Every structure is written in C-alpha cells, then in structure tokens.
Amino acid sequence: CYVCGERGATITCQGKKCKRSFHFPCGLENGCISQFFGQHRSFCQEHRPEQTVQAHQDGQTSCVICLEPVEEKLSYQTMVCPNCRQAWFHRGCIQQQAFHAGLLCFRCPQCNDREKFLPEMSSLGIQVPARQPAWEAGVGFTDMYQRHSRCDASLCLYAQGREQAEEEGPWYLLLCSSCAAKGTHRCCSALKDSAATWECEDC
C-alpha cells in the first residue's frame, strides 16, 4: 500500500501508467477515490477525478446540509452541485445523504436536480446504495404499503366473510376509485361481474 506501506493492498489506481496500490480504508483517509458503479474503478490522490464546474462563492459559504463553513474553492472535501452551482457541501455530508436517500431519492439538496447530480457525485466517489430510502425502511411507513382488503357494504353477502375475496367474478373485491379506503364485493353492491370501478357513498 503506497499509503501505509503494508502488504495486502488490492486496489490499484486506474490512472494512466500509475502502479500505485492501496487498501480501501487507507485510500479513503488519503483522498483516493473509488467509484461504485460500472467497472468500479479507483484512483490515487494524484489521478482522482475532480470537479471542473465553474462555481463561485459569495462571501463565506456554508454546507447546505450541516450549515458549517466549507472551503473557499472546490477540493476533495468540498463539492458543489453541477446543476445549480449554488449548493456547496462537504464530501462527508453528501455521502451520508446518499446512504440515507438511496438510489431512488438521491438528488441535489437545494435544486432537487438528479440528472446531472447523480452521475457527477458517483464519478467523484460518492457511494449511492441501490435500495429504498432509509426513512421508508422503518415501521412508520408500513401502513402506506398495505392495501385495503375488506368488504364495507352494509350487508356483506359473501359466505366466507368480509375479509375474503376471489380473484374474479361476483366476489372480486373492488376498492373505491377515489379514496381506496373502502371496498366491496361486486355482488354486495349489485355490480356486474365485469365492473372494474366503484365509488363508495362518501366519495
């Protein structure tokens, strides 16, 4: 490892004619970049990709995520959104946001751009995991993924009960096309076996 001098360095810089190798933790601490997409290329501190966007700060600028001051110019630790060019942030802050947001929700925290922002951050070594946002993984969002599955007709005629339904025919369960919070078997609301929509009395 060109950083610590120990053996076992399995990551090789992809810079032209560069033969430097390093351990991932050593590279992370020394300003090396590893890309987590495509060919998963890595670069030493000398050959790492850098932002080329022209962006200027007006006075002392703060990170839009942690609100602490950032450096006066682009660097390994200080980055800017390539789209709005006004959102400045620390590498560590945008990396944490990427971990929490996941691939589907990761975007500029200020202008909400994704088209330019995601490829740029990924090429600069920001790891964006391919999973749902962390805030949707907890118990709080469980109810949002549940579908109403009960017949709410004043008199349910199905012998199996309100909680049961069939995949087609008179005992197929239709949800209200407006609120989706109430349901009925076709037969319980005197609907044709081919009926595809239904609205509850409240809607």
Side-chain angles (χ1 to χ4, degrees):
C1 175
Y2 91 96
V3 179
C4 71
E6 298 293 330
R7 293 185 177 185
T10 57
I11 301 176
T12 303
C13 176
Q14 297 297 302
K16 193 173 183 179
K17 296 183 180 180
C18 183
K19 296 182 179 180
R20 287 176 172 173
S21 295
F22 52 91
H23 302 107
F24 180 76
C26 294
L28 201 61
E29 294 177 3
N30 197 55
C32 300
I33 280 181
S34 291
Q35 298 175 338
F36 299 90
F37 66 95
Q39 298 178 351
H40 289 76
R41 301 187 305 166
S42 295
F43 302 90
C44 69
Q45 187 178 27
E46 183 179 340
H47 299 108
R48 69 190 179 202
E50 297 179 351
Q51 282 195 284
T52 57
V53 60
Q54 298 297 317
H56 303 283
Q57 299 182 14
D58 295 326
Q60 190 176 36
T61 304
S62 299
C63 170
V64 296
I65 298 173
C66 72
L67 304 181
E68 293 293 324
V70 296
E71 296 178 49
E72 296 179 356
K73 60 181 181 179
L74 291 169
S75 68
Y76 174 75
Q77 296 292 351
T78 299
M79 308 166 80
V80 70
C81 171
N83 185 60
C84 66
R85 304 182 186 186
Q86 296 177 349
W88 292 78
F89 34 80
H90 302 111
R91 171 177 289 272
C93 292
I94 202 64
Q95 179 60 81
Q96 285 301 312
Q97 179 169 323
F99 282 148
H100 287 291
L103 188 61
L104 295 177
C105 294
F106 184 56
R107 57 198 70 222
C108 173
Q110 181 160 304
C111 71
N112 218 27
D113 174 71
R114 175 181 167 83
E115 187 175 342
K116 292 182 179 179
F117 189 76
L118 178 58
E120 176 104 346
M121 294 299 108
S122 296
S123 69
L124 294 170
I126 299 300
Q127 182 180 4
V128 187
R131 58 166 174 75
Q132 66 179 2
W135 54 83
E136 291 188 12
V139 180
F141 276 75
T142 303
D143 292 344
M144 293 183 64
Y145 297 105
Q146 292 182 350
R147 184 178 185 269
H148 187 78
S149 57
R150 184 177 189 275
C151 176
D152 296 298
S154 56
L155 178 62
C156 179
L157 305 174
Y158 192 34
Q160 303 295 326
R162 295 180 181 273
E163 307 293 336
Q164 303 299 319
E166 296 180 5
E167 294 185 5
E168 57 184 0
W171 306 117
Y172 178 82
L173 187 70
L174 289 173
L175 297 185
C176 174
S177 57
S178 294
C179 70
K182 290 188 177 181
T184 182
H185 296 115
R186 286 170 173 152
C187 188
C188 297
S189 292
L191 301 172
K192 295 181 180 180
D193 289 359
S194 60
T197 59
W198 166 81
E199 266 195 332
C200 67
E201 293 181 0
D202 294 339
C203 294

